[in-house]
């Protein structure tokens, strides 16, 4: 009797059936010739491999991440590829100019990318145009134009980002952007010839360190325009030395914070009204973040009644946060320092 029950039980296993409470067998899959149970929940087809037909099986690791081939459920995913990877480098570009680059966006996956958006860029990088549709199908491409327009010397970085939906789930793709701002600025001095102002006050853009300074249309023929900057009346014998300053912050010029390594060019026209009186000169000074003078580069002194054009160029030392122009006149007669200045210019250059 026991032997008969064992035979019946074996028959149930071979037939792929299991008894239930009603005594009726339920199909669990056919077993082919030569196949059998491994006893561990898998089926062996006789050659020691998993007989899984044309499908693959997803196994999950202890951390909940996919640890094997994804299950072939028939559902694919979009794969958005941005050209010119891994980083789009615009290279060196002259400041205050711009360069456009065309990027190709391709869906190399096997499902649609829906709700596709090109996110805006900030700073020196900007999106100038895009023909990307809201849905990008498998194998389809579109184009995005990105512009680089540096205003500062130094390296710049950004990131182009795309947002889309993958079967209703949020997804994204990105491409790092890089570029280098180089070249030369325009004139950084405000009102370098005294053309702005009413003639009776300190010239616009300047501050008096010693003595009274004004602008005038008389006394000497201007080198440029119709006015010059001149030491004015003090109605006393003090001071003997007149000083006028204009400070230029370097923060807007570089991406690294100070002006270390930047070359500054300086030009100024200067003369006294009368030969032998009230000699004039100027200096370009490099100041630290605390305001101390790191370097001072004076021009030649002029004691003639002829305009002298003084020029020079110097590389700013480390920790230069301010470049300062100083106009100087030493009073020798009367109640004013009758030294005139015109055409003051400073510009900066950096090429990496």
């Amino acid at each position: 009797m026991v032997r008969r029950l064992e035979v019946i039980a074996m028959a149930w296993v071979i037939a792929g059936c299991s008894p239930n409470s009603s005594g009726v067998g339920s199909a669990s899959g056919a077993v082919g010739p030569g196949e059998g149970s491994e006893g561990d929940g898998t089926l062996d087809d006789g050659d020691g491999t998993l007989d899984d037909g044309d499908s693959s099986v997803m196994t999950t690791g202890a951390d909940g991440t996919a640890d094997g081939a994804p299950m072939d459920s028939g559902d694919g995913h979009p794969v958005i590829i941005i050209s010119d990877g891994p980083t789009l480098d615009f290279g060196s570009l002259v400041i205050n100019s711009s360069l456009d680059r065309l990027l190709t966006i391709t869906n190399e996956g096997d499902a649609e990318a829906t709700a596709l958006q090109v996110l805006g860029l900030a700073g020196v990088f900007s999106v100038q145009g895009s023909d990307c549709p809201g849905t990008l199908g498998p194998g389809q491409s579109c184009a995005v134009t990105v512009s680089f327009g540096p205003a500062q010397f130094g390296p710049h970085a950004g990131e182009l980002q795309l947002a889309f939906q993958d079967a209703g789930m949020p997804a994204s793709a990105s491409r790092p952007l890089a570029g280098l701002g180089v070249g030369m600025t325009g004139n950084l001095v405000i009102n370098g010839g005294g053309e702005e102002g009413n003639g009776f006050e300190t010239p616009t853009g300047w501050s008096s360190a010693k003595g009274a300074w004004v602008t005038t249309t008389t006394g000497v023929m201007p080198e440029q325009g119709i006015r010059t900057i001149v030491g004015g009346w003090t109605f006393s014998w003090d001071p003997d030395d007149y000083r006028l300053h204009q400070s230029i912050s370097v923060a807007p010029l570089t991406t690294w914070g100070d002006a270390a390594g930047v070359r500054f060019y300086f030009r100024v026209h200067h003369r006294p009204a009368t030969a032998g009186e009230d000699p004039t000169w100027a200096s370009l000074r490099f100041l630290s973040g605390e305001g101390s003078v790191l370097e001072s580069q004076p021009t030649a002194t002029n004691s003639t009644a002829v305009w002298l054009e003084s020029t020079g160029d110097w590389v700013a030392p480390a920790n230069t946060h301010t470049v300062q122009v100083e106009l100087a006149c030493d009073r020798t007669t009367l109640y004013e320092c009758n030294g005139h200045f015109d055409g003051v210019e400073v510009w900066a250059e950096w090429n990496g």
Side-chain angles (χ1 to χ4, degrees):
M1 181 65 177
V2 172
R3 177 65 177 168
R4 179 176 175 81
L5 290 174
E6 290 177 348
V7 171
I8 293 173
M10 181 63 70
W12 276 104
V13 172
I14 294 175
C17 301
S18 60
N20 55 31
S21 60
S22 64
V24 180
S26 60
S28 63
V31 179
E35 297 174 337
S37 171
E38 287 287 314
D40 59 358
T42 63
L43 296 179
D44 186 271
D45 62 1
D47 60 2
T49 61
L50 179 66
D51 185 15
D52 57 0
D54 293 330
S55 299
S56 58
V57 175
M58 169 86 74
T59 60
T60 305
D63 60 355
T65 60
D67 190 30
M71 182 170 292
D72 184 8
S73 63
D75 296 329
H77 298 277
V79 178
I80 299 299
I81 303 298
I82 305 175
S83 65
D84 293 338
T87 299
L88 173 58
D89 193 340
F90 284 81
S92 298
L93 188 65
V94 174
I95 58 172
N96 300 316
S97 64
S98 63
L99 176 65
D100 292 347
R101 292 285 293 272
L102 188 68
L103 296 177
T104 301
I105 314 300
T106 304
N107 183 356
E108 295 187 359
D110 53 6
E112 291 182 337
T114 59
L116 178 64
Q117 298 181 65
V118 180
L119 303 182
L121 292 166
V124 298
F125 298 98
S126 61
V127 175
Q128 294 298 308
S130 169
D131 65 2
C132 292
T135 297
L136 196 65
Q140 292 183 338
S141 296
C142 60
V144 175
T145 300
V146 176
S147 181
F148 174 49
Q152 292 176 297
F153 298 134
H156 297 267
E159 186 175 58
L160 175 67
Q161 294 186 332
L162 305 178
F164 60 94
Q165 296 280 318
D166 176 0
M169 298 296 292
S172 64
S174 63
R175 171 68 64 243
L177 308 172
L180 190 68
V182 298
M184 184 176 288
T185 68
N187 181 20
L188 301 174
V189 174
I190 299 171
N191 194 27
E195 300 300 319
E196 300 176 28
N198 61 17
F200 300 102
E201 298 176 351
T202 302
T204 302
W206 297 85
S207 61
S208 176
K210 286 185 178 181
W213 290 81
V214 296
T215 64
T216 183
T217 57
T218 62
V220 300
M221 179 68 68
E223 179 68 13
Q224 300 175 6
I226 63 172
R227 289 181 177 272
T228 63
I229 297 173
V230 64
W233 288 86
T234 60
F235 301 104
S236 71
W237 291 107
D238 293 323
D240 289 335
D241 50 345
Y242 281 54
R243 300 292 184 268
L244 185 68
H245 291 165
Q246 183 168 141
S247 297
I248 302 166
S249 171
V250 303
L253 298 181
T254 70
T255 60
W256 59 89
D258 66 3
V262 177
R263 182 173 294 277
F264 286 86
Y265 296 83
F266 182 40
R267 178 166 60 201
V268 55
H269 298 82
H270 57 103
R271 56 164 289 182
T274 304
E277 299 179 0
D278 306 329
T280 60
W281 76 93
S283 297
L284 191 66
R285 312 202 306 172
F286 300 98
L287 310 184
S288 70
E290 295 74 34
S292 60
V293 179
L294 301 173
E295 287 184 16
S296 182
Q297 302 291 350
T299 68
T301 299
N302 186 15
S303 297
T304 72
V306 178
W307 283 108
L308 174 65
E309 180 184 38
S310 294
T311 62
D313 61 274
W314 304 274
V315 175
N319 198 36
T320 295
H321 287 259
T322 302
V323 176
Q324 186 180 77
V325 176
E326 180 176 76
L327 306 184
C329 176
D330 281 349
R331 181 178 58 80
T332 60
T333 60
L334 302 176
Y335 293 98
E336 64 179 338
C337 197
N338 204 7
H340 295 255
F341 297 83
D342 204 356
V344 184
E345 296 182 350
V346 173
W347 59 102
E349 181 182 40
W350 186 81
N351 288 305

